[in-house]
Amino acid sequence: MERRRMDAALLVLLLGHLAAALEVPLDLPQPPTITHQSPKDYIIDPRENIIIHCEAKGKPHPSFSWTRNGTHFNIDEDTNVSMKPHSGTLVVDISGAKAEQYECVYQCTARNKHGTAVSNNIVVRQSRSPLWSKERINPIVVQEGVSLVLPCRPPAGLPPPIIFWMDNNFQRLPQSNRVSQSLNGDLYFSNVLREDSRNDYICYARFPYTQTIQQKQPISLKVLSLDAINDTMAAFYNDTDLFSDDPADERKPTFLVPSGPSSSKTVLRGQVLEMECIAEGLPTPDISWSKVSGELPAKRTYFLHYQRTLRIVNVSESDAGDYRCTARNKLGTVHHNIHVMVKAAPYWISAQPRNLVLAPGENGVLTCRASGTPKPSITWAMNGIPIENSPKDLSRKVEDDTIIFTDVQTGSSAVYQCNVSNPYGYLLSNAFINVLSEPPRVLTPANKVYQVIKNHPALMDCASFGSPIPKITWFKDSRSSTLDGDPYILHDNGTIEIHTAQAHNAGKYTCVARNSLGKEENHILLEVKEPTRILKQPEYKVVQRGRSAVFQCKVKHDPSLVPTMTWLKDDGELPDDERFYVDSDSLTITEVSEIDAGVYTCIMNTTLDHDSASAELTVVEATPTPAVVTEQPDPPTDLELTDQKKRSVQLTWTPGDEHNSPIMKFLIQYEDSLHHRGHWHNLTEVAGTRTTAHLKLSPYAHYTFRVLGLNAVGLSRPSFPSRVYKTEPAAPDENPTGVQGLGTEHDNLVISWKPLTGLQSNGPGLHYRVMWRQKAVNSDWNTASVANTSKFVVSGTPTFVPYELKVQAVNDHGAAPDPAIAHGYSGEDLPVAAPNNVQVMVLNSSLAEVHWDPVPSKFIRGHLKGYKVYYWKERSLHKHNPHHVEKEILTFSGNHSHGKLPGLHPYSLYSFNVRIYNGKGEGPPSPTQEFETPEGVPGAPTSLLVTNTDLDSLTLEWNPPHVRNGRITGYTLKYQPVNNSNELGPVEELALSANETSVTLSNLRHSTRYKFYLNAKTERGAGPTISQETVTIMDEAVASRQVDIATQGWFIGLMCAIALLILILLIICFIQRNKGGKYPVKEKEDAHTDPEFQPMKDDDCTFGEYSDNEDHKPLKGSRTPSNGTVKRGDSDDSLVDYGEGGDGQFNEDGSFIGQYSGKSVSRETAEGHESSEAPSPINAMNSLNSFV
């Protein structure tokens, strides 16, 4: 007994360690902790790779292993399974295996030298979306007023499918308190009406993981009155099921679901409880719910499906008991009691076990406190091994849901697993004990700044770590004493709290973490800010339609915080409408209408706090007037100047009459009688709802202001001017802009700038202080003062030297701020040197590249613009070519050292030189050099003529190329015959010497066209060809034998016979086509009312009785297959056969992927590939021609 009391006292003393469990920094040794794992019930998509997560941290980093179905899973032996680097996550590649092979129970283990952590049992199952079983559903015929259930019975899937009923057009079937869907998916009718008749009641099942939708075969329902049943049953419905033979009279309710007077239901704590009661009766019964043993939980109770379903979310033990559903109509009432039992899978009473960090010799407690219904059992394990099988440890004692550690020593670190289970589930938690000796360290960032609003709580953190656990003390400013007691509250985790912060609480705070191994301190800054407050709130407004509404919202906030103003309408965003204008302290709505009525809220947010205020806008009809006449507004009046300062003034005015058109804005103008008397300038614009403007002014000006109003008609006349407001002179605020320096001669520097305006001068006596000095020389500034000008010339400067420049504005009251330094150069002169080391490389017969050394900058004497290459052709190297001297220039901008000369003539002599040029002009040329271009291919021969044409011979004559591009080494002649269809015959080729200009060809065929090709050659290759065609002379004997076939009698007779035959065939075709026209389509429909027995044409070339194309289209209400035939008894499996929109959305198994839609697609008719119209005359002609 005494030992129990000691243990209880020890437990109380050690609860502090439980409350202050620490997070161990990752740079310190620690056992593994699992940070991420897959859910216990893990449903996977069979189309994707399987990823089973297991992540853990620790020092050293843990290694990982897995079990599958309770035995070790050797990952290396399965080529489809891999483990991510530095992780325990498994990746299963299902491209080489089936997902079913990996439907198992997995558990991950993470271990290092300090302990072992294990994951939950992860049950991996693949999602399933099985097909609907095929069945033939007979039409249902019932009497009006009876109850009815249309069964759905979807295939079992994982997870279970979502059920809904739709028609052929993918539109949800209407439901009501008379017709509704039950929890199992069946469609219940409390009583049927004649309008319930339709042939497309279709139940759909959507499987969420694969996004697959399966459909049941459509159900056809016919609701008849008793008289209609007697008249039509024998003739049309002798093979259908009748649900009732008696008249359906009014009747009191009875329950269809659930059956009997009472039932029971079990639900787990935390889940959703759903109970349903579906009753039949006439009139339709109303359903109500109550709890016999108490009240329904109002905030967790929902009524669905027209009161037929009662749903209670987040079920607790208090929801157990008896529930009653009541169905009533005017004929009676019926009750059903449902007894609900609430069970509970294990759940944590307090937080799950937390990690312990203890110093050697300290004590600690691990607690695993959970509950459940029935009461769960608790088992402990150490490093994944049942604790009863673990090594004995005298410092450890297990008492049911608690492990007590006393006087722990180094080496006692381990991971403990607590498993809480009952028949409805289990909880598994890992918690380690880590035995460390570690001096304190403060984890909160150094010099962290905390900002808080005055009169609000202030909390400053001092997160720390150490073993033993450090003690935290706080100081402020001078450290005269520790902060303990009012107004400070010190929390166990080291955080200090000031319940109501005031301005004097701001300052520098120091927290010190101290244990037996040392101490560490950290500094914290606290800033106390003024609260944000709305000084002028928006007011209630009543505005006529078409007018403007203005809400004011003036705010005061701490100047160090950045404010953001937001306006809301009816707690939502403002409409995206240009009529809504948000200013810094107001909201303006122009041309208000009824839709603008509502509550408007202004919210001023800062990073620390906010304030808000609201007002309502009511829109009323404008007062009717006989005829609304709009005009320009009257000019504003009563201009006043207030809040006068050196450089600003407040202008107020009274708006003039709007004349039935709201003022959109005011335009404020000024006149400066000191500098521009009689000239009015625009100063600023403000919204038409404002009557005040804050105007920024310049010194040394005599201002007069006026205001104009603008509405939809136009501008008003200007107001009367205000009184004159004179601002005092001051030194200039700004210096001239656009300062630049350049020389007009080789020995000067011209400094220029954009002068200030009179308003910019800020005072009398404006002049400019011009300063310059050479940039590269460490010299003093040269200064000159000038007035009434915008440039200054410095003479006697060295040629092209960089200068630093400044121009400062000065008046009688002082100088402007020190101006920025600008840069310029003195004047340029012509370059005095030519490029050296000029070389040329001939790249080919028409391109050369010139290289040179850049000219040193001291010889350029100006801004380098580039280089110019002058080149010209001296003469052609061929003696027959004339002498040419044509100079050409190529310019290369920038600091280039080479350039290419294109377009050169082959086999020619060229001369060239190179010059540099700057902004002033060109320098001297380099020494002229020469180069030769190599030979190129020649041009085409100048001419090619055919002479002396005979039966089998002819002569060709030509002239040499005009452009030879080298020495002609010979000619190549090719020729070939051409027949009457322009097909080319075999090619003959002759090689001719360079001095030949003609050749005679013999042994040619008479009466034949020939084509000739001739080109010249140099050493470089062959040039382009010149061609010519001619025909040899025809033999007279052959010509005499040729006759015109069109004049022969036999040919004329054959053509007449063919024409007669075609005419006969056309007559037959038209007669056969018109035979079917004697029966109207309507008579044929009346004669064949049953689409299943519609006569169809044979698939041949004969002409049937009904030959019009319309006869091949499906009759109304029929379903015609794409081959044009109708088979009685075919299964109507496909959704394409019903209504519209069937094409392209369904798989072969009858399912379709993705969302359903009502898109309408016209069904293809059968006549598309089997037209029975008469053959056309063109086809008949083609057939005859192919026969002939």
Side-chain angles (χ1 to χ4, degrees):
M1 188 69 180
E2 182 67 22
R3 177 60 183 268
R4 288 184 178 275
R5 283 197 296 268
M6 292 179 60
D7 289 344
L10 180 63
L11 179 59
V12 172
L13 290 174
L14 297 179
L15 286 177
H17 276 291
L18 180 63
L22 300 177
E23 186 74 17
V24 183
L26 274 177
D27 61 334
L28 296 178
Q30 57 185 290
T33 300
I34 293 192
T35 57
H36 179 54
Q37 58 182 311
S38 293
K40 296 177 182 178
D41 191 7
Y42 188 23
I43 300 177
I44 60 170
D45 190 333
R47 301 167 299 184
E48 298 177 356
N49 288 343
I50 304 172
I51 300 178
I52 310 176
H53 294 281
C54 181
E55 306 289 343
K57 65 178 183 179
K59 183 72 173 182
H61 190 73
S63 61
F64 297 88
S65 61
W66 287 83
T67 62
R68 183 167 68 175
N69 293 336
T71 60
H72 176 67
F73 182 25
N74 192 338
I75 298 170
D76 296 334
E77 293 181 356
D78 194 329
T79 58
N80 298 317
V81 182
S82 61
M83 187 183 294
K84 289 185 177 181
H86 311 293
S87 166
T89 298
L90 295 183
V91 179
V92 181
D93 183 4
I94 65 170
S95 61
K98 292 184 178 180
E100 293 89 341
Q101 301 176 9
Y102 297 94
E103 290 186 299
C104 303
V105 180
Y106 297 85
Q107 189 174 40
C108 173
T109 301
R111 59 170 54 86
N112 65 14
K113 64 180 181 180
H114 301 294
T116 300
V118 297
S119 73
N120 293 320
N121 286 326
I122 302 170
V123 181
V124 175
R125 296 182 295 169
Q126 69 165 334
S127 63
R128 289 177 170 83
S129 53
L131 299 179
W132 223 300
S133 59
K134 296 293 183 179
E135 60 179 331
R136 179 180 179 85
I137 302 177
N138 292 325
I140 299 175
V141 180
V142 294
Q143 179 186 345
E144 183 176 11
V146 302
S147 63
L148 177 65
V149 181
L150 298 184
C152 180
R153 292 193 290 270
L158 184 66
I162 299 170
I163 306 301
F164 49 92
W165 288 79
M166 293 196 302
D167 60 15
N168 268 336
N169 297 321
F170 303 116
Q171 300 299 314
R172 285 187 178 269
L173 294 174
Q175 297 189 23
S176 62
N177 64 339
R178 185 179 61 85
V179 182
S180 64
Q181 178 182 314
S182 66
L183 294 177
N184 70 352
D186 293 345
L187 191 63
Y188 281 79
F189 296 77
S190 294
N191 51 78
V192 295
L193 303 177
R194 297 194 63 178
E195 54 262 31
D196 295 328
S197 297
R198 60 191 308 152
N199 59 3
D200 57 352
Y201 284 94
I202 305 175
C203 182
Y204 289 88
R206 179 167 66 86
F207 298 89
Y209 264 72
T210 58
Q211 290 300 309
T212 302
I213 296 179
Q214 305 281 359
Q215 71 165 93
K216 185 183 179 71
Q217 293 296 314
I219 300 175
S220 177
L221 172 63
K222 186 73 171 181
V223 180
L224 298 177
S225 64
L226 184 59
D227 293 338
I229 292 178
N230 294 332
D231 293 341
T232 60
M233 188 192 319
F236 296 102
Y237 300 102
N238 48 5
D239 61 342
T240 58
D241 296 330
L242 291 178
F243 278 56
S244 174
D245 293 327
D246 298 325
D249 296 327
E250 291 187 346
R251 58 193 181 278
K252 68 177 184 178
T254 58
F255 281 113
L256 299 175
V257 172
S259 59
S262 63
S263 59
S264 62
K265 192 174 185 67
T266 301
V267 64
L268 292 181
R269 176 183 183 271
Q271 294 187 351
V272 177
L273 169 63
E274 286 188 328
M275 297 175 285
E276 67 176 350
C277 282
I278 302 177
E280 66 92 15
L282 190 65
T284 302
D286 292 323
I287 304 295
S288 61
W289 291 86
S290 62
K291 187 176 182 182
V292 177
S293 54
E295 297 293 329
L296 293 173
K299 295 183 178 180
R300 296 184 290 114
T301 301
Y302 302 91
F303 298 98
L304 309 175
H305 304 143
Y306 304 94
Q307 296 284 108
R308 298 186 178 196
T309 301
L310 171 64
R311 174 182 291 175
I312 300 176
V313 300
N314 193 21
V315 170
S316 65
E317 287 83 353
S318 62
D319 296 321
D322 292 325
Y323 293 81
R324 173 175 294 171
C325 66
T326 302
R328 62 168 53 88
N329 65 11
K330 65 181 184 180
L331 299 180
T333 301
V334 64
H335 303 285
H336 183 92
N337 290 337
I338 303 175
H339 179 67
V340 174
M341 295 173 287
V342 178
K343 303 295 183 178
Y347 59 92
W348 300 113
I349 296 177
S350 58
Q352 58 184 324
R354 292 183 290 184
N355 298 330
L356 278 180
V357 178
L358 302 175
E362 285 192 319
N363 306 323
V365 174
L366 282 181
T367 302
C368 181
R369 194 147 297 159
S371 182
T373 306
K375 182 179 179 180
S377 61
I378 299 176
T379 59
W380 288 92
M382 186 184 79
N383 295 331
I385 301 173
I387 199 164
E388 57 269 17
N389 299 333
S390 301
K392 298 298 181 182
D393 188 347
L394 297 178
S395 67
R396 180 185 69 222
K397 182 180 181 181
V398 179
E399 289 190 356
D400 194 21
D401 60 358
T402 303
I403 301 181
I404 302 173
F405 299 93
T406 56
D407 192 22
V408 296
Q409 300 300 320
T410 303
S412 298
S413 298
V415 182
Y416 289 86
Q417 288 82 34
C418 169
N419 191 315
V420 185
S421 62
N422 71 5
Y424 298 102
Y426 73 94
L427 295 172
L428 176 64
S429 177
N430 291 273
F432 66 64
I433 175 172
N434 196 12
V435 182
L436 286 176
S437 294
E438 186 69 22
R441 60 171 74 178
V442 178
L443 305 179
T444 301
N447 298 313
K448 184 174 180 179
V449 178
Y450 287 89
Q451 295 180 330
V452 65
I453 295 296
K454 182 179 178 180
N455 295 324
H456 283 64
L459 292 117
M460 294 174 284
D461 295 328
C462 186
S464 63
F465 178 80
S467 185
I469 296 175
K471 175 179 175 58
I472 305 297
T473 54
W474 285 84
F475 302 90
K476 184 177 186 293
D477 297 333
S478 62
R479 297 196 183 190
S480 58
S481 62
T482 60
L483 303 179
D484 192 9
D486 190 59
Y488 301 102
I489 302 172
L490 187 61
H491 295 274
D492 292 339
N493 62 356
T495 297
I496 192 171
E497 178 182 356
I498 305 173
H499 187 264
T500 305
Q502 301 297 326
H504 66 269
N505 296 129
K508 182 179 180 180
Y509 289 78
T510 303
C511 76
V512 179
R514 181 183 287 108
N515 69 8
S516 59
L517 301 178
K519 71 173 185 177
E520 183 172 312
E521 66 179 36
N522 191 25
H523 299 295
I524 302 293
L525 298 177
L526 176 63
E527 298 177 354
V528 179
K529 306 292 184 180
E530 289 296 323
T532 301
R533 291 290 179 264
I534 295 179
L535 302 179
K536 180 175 176 56
Q537 298 185 358
E539 299 175 349
Y540 173 73
K541 299 280 184 184
V542 178
V543 180
Q544 291 183 357
R545 184 162 55 89
R547 297 299 184 101
S548 298
V550 181
F551 291 105
Q552 298 287 338
C553 187
K554 296 187 180 296
V555 182
K556 177 185 177 182
H557 62 87
D558 192 285
S560 64
L561 300 178
V562 179
T564 302
M565 174 70 79
T566 303
W567 285 88
L568 303 177
K569 179 181 183 293
D570 297 331
D571 295 330
E573 293 184 356
L574 289 179
D576 186 10
D577 191 331
E578 60 184 8
R579 297 183 301 109
F580 288 76
Y581 174 73
V582 177
D583 202 353
S584 59
D585 56 2
S586 65
L587 167 66
T588 302
I589 310 171
T590 61
E591 299 178 8
V592 298
S593 63
E594 287 78 1
I595 62 173
D596 299 326
V599 177
Y600 289 84
T601 304
C602 73
I603 303 175
M604 176 61 76
N605 287 293
T606 68
T607 53
L608 296 181
D609 68 340
H610 72 278
D611 196 9
S612 63
S614 300
E616 185 177 358
L617 171 64
T618 301
V619 181
V620 297
E621 284 293 331
T623 304
T625 55
V628 177
V629 178
T630 59
E631 297 178 4
Q632 297 168 330
D634 289 342
T637 59
D638 303 329
L639 272 65
E640 292 185 8
L641 298 176
T642 59
D643 194 18
Q644 300 174 7
K645 298 180 180 179
K646 287 185 177 182
R647 298 201 178 190
S648 66
V649 70
Q650 191 87 2
L651 175 66
T652 60
W653 62 91
T654 300
D657 192 332
E658 295 181 341
H659 291 295
N660 300 314
S661 178
I663 296 177
M664 297 181 290
K665 63 181 178 181
F666 290 102
L667 175 63
I668 302 172
Q669 297 179 333
Y670 74 93
E671 177 198 27
D672 180 7
S673 58
L674 181 62
H675 299 100
H676 287 90
R677 178 179 293 274
H679 291 81
W680 288 92
H681 307 274
N682 293 337
L683 180 59
T684 186
E685 294 178 353
V686 297
T689 56
R690 300 183 60 176
T691 59
T692 303
H694 185 75
L695 307 178
K696 295 183 178 180
L697 309 177
S698 297
Y700 192 53
H702 295 174
Y703 285 101
T704 303
F705 303 100
R706 68 183 187 184
V707 183
L708 298 87
L710 176 68
N711 64 8
V713 180
L715 276 171
S716 71
R717 298 188 311 277
S719 67
F720 287 112
S722 69
R723 62 181 176 84
V724 177
Y725 182 68
K726 298 180 180 180
T727 56
E728 297 178 359
D733 294 323
E734 53 188 311
N735 287 301
T737 58
V739 178
Q740 60 179 0
L742 51 87
T744 57
E745 300 294 338
H746 67 88
D747 60 351
N748 76 359
L749 170 66
V750 180
I751 305 172
S752 61
W753 58 91
K754 182 180 178 182
L756 299 183
T757 65
L759 201 59
Q760 293 173 319
S761 65
N762 284 7
L766 175 66
H767 61 280
Y768 301 100
R769 184 179 297 153
V770 184
M771 294 166 277
W772 71 94
R773 69 180 179 186
Q774 287 192 33
K775 184 176 181 180
V777 179
N778 188 13
S779 60
D780 295 332
W781 289 94
N782 299 292
T783 305
S785 292
V786 295
N788 302 321
T789 185
S790 61
K791 68 177 181 179
F792 178 76
V793 180
V794 181
S795 301
T797 62
T799 301
F800 196 67
V801 172
Y803 278 84
E804 293 181 331
L805 315 171
K806 293 195 295 185
V807 180
Q808 187 176 32
V810 184
N811 66 16
D812 294 346
H813 291 268
D818 191 36
I821 296 177
H823 298 87
Y825 280 85
S826 58
E828 300 180 75
D829 205 349
L830 295 175
V832 296
N836 292 324
N837 194 23
V838 179
Q839 299 177 359
V840 63
M841 291 189 300
V842 179
L843 302 179
N844 55 46
S845 60
S846 62
L847 181 64
E849 187 172 54
V850 180
H851 292 258
W852 60 88
D853 290 343
V855 175
S857 58
K858 65 180 180 179
F859 299 123
I860 300 176
R861 303 204 299 177
H863 294 286
L864 173 63
K865 299 296 184 182
Y867 292 86
K868 295 183 179 181
V869 179
Y870 286 74
Y871 65 101
W872 61 93
K873 180 180 176 182
E874 295 284 2
R875 61 183 175 83
S876 174
L877 296 178
H878 191 276
K879 61 183 179 178
H880 300 294
N881 283 8
H883 182 68
H884 290 282
V885 180
E886 297 177 358
K887 286 192 176 182
E888 298 186 54
I889 304 174
L890 273 181
T891 301
F892 301 96
S893 300
N895 192 19
H896 283 269
S897 61
H898 61 88
K900 292 182 179 180
L901 308 181
L904 303 178
H905 293 285
Y907 203 52
S908 301
L909 176 65
Y910 279 86
S911 297
F912 76 97
N913 58 49
V914 185
R915 312 178 193 199
I916 191 173
Y917 72 101
N918 61 17
K920 193 73 173 179
E922 298 178 4
S926 65
T928 300
Q929 301 184 38
E930 295 181 341
F931 64 90
E932 295 179 357
T933 56
E935 293 187 34
V937 297
T942 306
S943 63
L944 177 61
L945 301 175
V946 180
T947 62
N948 301 330
T949 304
D950 205 346
L951 288 174
D952 59 354
S953 65
L954 53 77
T955 299
L956 295 173
E957 296 180 356
W958 63 87
N959 290 322
H962 177 70
V963 179
R964 300 193 179 189
N965 291 341
R967 295 183 181 86
I968 301 298
T969 59
Y971 297 91
T972 300
L973 174 65
K974 298 179 181 179
Y975 60 95
Q976 58 188 142
V978 182
N979 63 14
N980 291 335
S981 59
N982 291 326
E983 294 177 351
L984 300 175
V987 178
E988 300 289 342
E989 182 176 333
L990 291 178
L992 306 173
S993 61
N995 56 3
E996 291 188 69
T997 58
S998 65
V999 65
T1000 300
L1001 302 177
S1002 58
N1003 297 325
L1004 302 176
R1005 291 183 288 187
H1006 63 79
S1007 305
T1008 303
R1009 180 188 302 151
Y1010 281 89
K1011 191 167 187 177
F1012 303 94
Y1013 313 90
L1014 179 69
N1015 60 355
K1017 296 185 293 183
T1018 64
E1019 291 295 338
R1020 187 63 183 271
T1025 62
I1026 184 173
S1027 62
Q1028 187 61 270
E1029 292 188 19
T1030 190
V1031 180
T1032 55
I1033 296 175
M1034 183 181 295
D1035 192 341
E1036 294 181 0
V1038 175
S1040 64
R1041 292 197 298 269
Q1042 292 185 356
V1043 296
D1044 187 358
I1045 190 172
T1047 62
Q1048 300 300 306
W1050 65 270
F1051 181 76
I1052 295 174
L1054 178 60
M1055 291 297 101
C1056 291
I1058 292 174
L1060 180 59
L1061 181 58
I1062 291 174
L1063 180 60
I1064 294 172
L1065 289 175
L1066 288 175
I1067 294 173
I1068 295 174
C1069 288
F1070 282 120
I1071 292 173
Q1072 291 290 346
R1073 177 173 177 80
N1074 292 329
K1075 284 181 64 179
K1078 62 186 179 180
Y1079 296 110
V1081 175
K1082 175 62 178 174
E1083 294 178 4
K1084 290 181 286 181
E1085 290 181 347
D1086 294 340
H1088 303 282
T1089 57
D1090 189 350
E1092 294 292 321
F1093 298 98
Q1094 188 71 9
M1096 303 301 294
K1097 247 171 47 66
D1098 294 332
D1099 188 9
D1100 56 24
C1101 298
T1102 62
F1103 293 84
E1105 181 180 5
Y1106 307 113
S1107 60
D1108 289 348
N1109 288 343
E1110 291 295 320
D1111 297 342
H1112 296 283
K1113 297 180 180 178
L1115 296 178
K1116 184 176 181 181
S1118 67
R1119 302 186 180 99
T1120 307
S1122 61
N1123 63 359
T1125 63
V1126 176
K1127 298 179 182 179
R1128 182 166 180 82
D1130 280 357
S1131 174
D1132 298 332
D1133 295 339
S1134 174
L1135 197 61
V1136 179
D1137 293 338
Y1138 293 87
E1140 298 175 351
D1143 290 346
Q1145 301 184 34
F1146 291 86
N1147 296 332
E1148 294 177 358
D1149 57 14
S1151 66
F1152 65 97
I1153 308 300
Q1155 295 180 347
Y1156 45 83
S1157 69
K1159 183 178 179 182
S1160 176
V1161 180
S1162 298
R1163 288 178 289 177
E1164 182 177 330
T1165 56
E1167 71 271 14
H1169 301 290
E1170 296 185 11
S1171 176
S1172 59
E1173 63 185 12
S1176 69
I1178 302 300
N1179 294 335
M1181 179 68 78
N1182 292 337
S1183 301
L1184 183 59
N1185 289 341
S1186 63
F1187 175 79
V1188 175

